[in-house]
Amino acid sequence: MSESKGVLQGFKEFLMRGNVIELAVAVVVGAAFTNIVNAVVKGVINPIVGALGSQNLDNYKACLTTCHTDRKTGAFTDGIYILWGSVLSSALTFLITAGVVYFLMILPMNKWKERQAARKPVDDAPLAPTEVELLTEIRDALIAQRTTSAPVPSSTSGTIGAQKTQS
């Protein structure tokens, strides 16, 4: 029971992170944006390609083996063929989507973040020393203290040393 409670608590924390919400918004915007890009490809790109051949990129195919075509529709009826027109259409859709997202969303957001960072005052206060720096200072202070002060004999070592010299 406690393990499932821990898993549910972890899932709740995961959902409440800002990144998950931003990702959900990005997916929704991306899905809505896909319709715009598809319209641009069908309404602008395909007619430009259509000036060279067929307006529908899906009609561009290459046959690898002996292929027979239907005389009425022009479609391949048998054989092995590659639908390179569909791949080209998808690649163009991707490039247009990536370009628009970068130039209309990412680039302005980066510029805005740079301006926000430039507005923040620069903190000129020195940084607090790290733990290693503090330990180094303590070590150096102890070494300096040991070398400047005369060694103080302890009571036991003094008596042992005196006993050895007497015998």
Side-chain angles (χ1 to χ4, degrees):
M1 178 91 169
S2 65
E3 184 178 316
S4 65
K5 204 174 211 182
V7 170
L8 291 177
Q9 180 65 26
F11 183 67
K12 179 182 175 187
E13 290 173 4
F14 170 74
L15 288 178
M16 299 313 282
R17 287 185 194 155
N19 294 343
V20 174
I21 294 171
E22 290 172 3
L23 180 62
V25 169
V27 168
V28 170
V29 169
F33 188 67
T34 301
N35 291 332
I36 295 170
V37 172
N38 287 337
V40 168
V41 169
K42 288 179 185 174
V44 177
I45 304 296
N46 285 353
I48 291 172
V49 173
L52 306 172
S54 171
Q55 250 190 350
N56 188 359
L57 290 178
D58 293 336
N59 291 338
Y60 290 99
K61 303 173 188 175
C63 190
L64 293 178
T65 62
T66 306
C67 297
H68 296 48
T69 58
D70 185 5
R71 291 184 183 174
K72 293 180 182 177
T73 63
F76 292 118
T77 57
D78 62 347
I80 300 173
Y81 52 91
I82 297 174
L83 302 172
W84 64 270
S86 299
V87 174
L88 178 64
S89 177
S90 296
L92 289 173
T93 301
F94 171 76
L95 287 175
I96 292 170
T97 304
V100 170
V101 166
Y102 179 76
F103 290 111
L104 295 182
M105 295 178 183
I106 303 296
L107 196 62
M109 182 61 73
N110 288 344
K111 297 279 186 186
W112 180 77
K113 285 181 180 179
E114 288 174 8
R115 277 187 257 133
Q116 295 299 321
R119 288 183 185 173
K120 288 184 181 178
V122 178
D123 189 17
D124 291 335
L127 297 175
T130 63
E131 185 176 338
V132 174
E133 292 170 341
L134 290 174
L135 289 172
T136 304
E137 288 179 22
I138 293 170
R139 181 200 64 200
D140 294 343
L142 288 173
I143 290 172
Q145 184 181 17
R146 191 179 327 155
T147 58
T148 58
S149 63
V152 177
S154 64
S155 59
T156 57
S157 64
T159 56
I160 292 175
Q163 289 174 356
K164 284 184 178 180
T165 56
Q166 289 177 355
S167 41

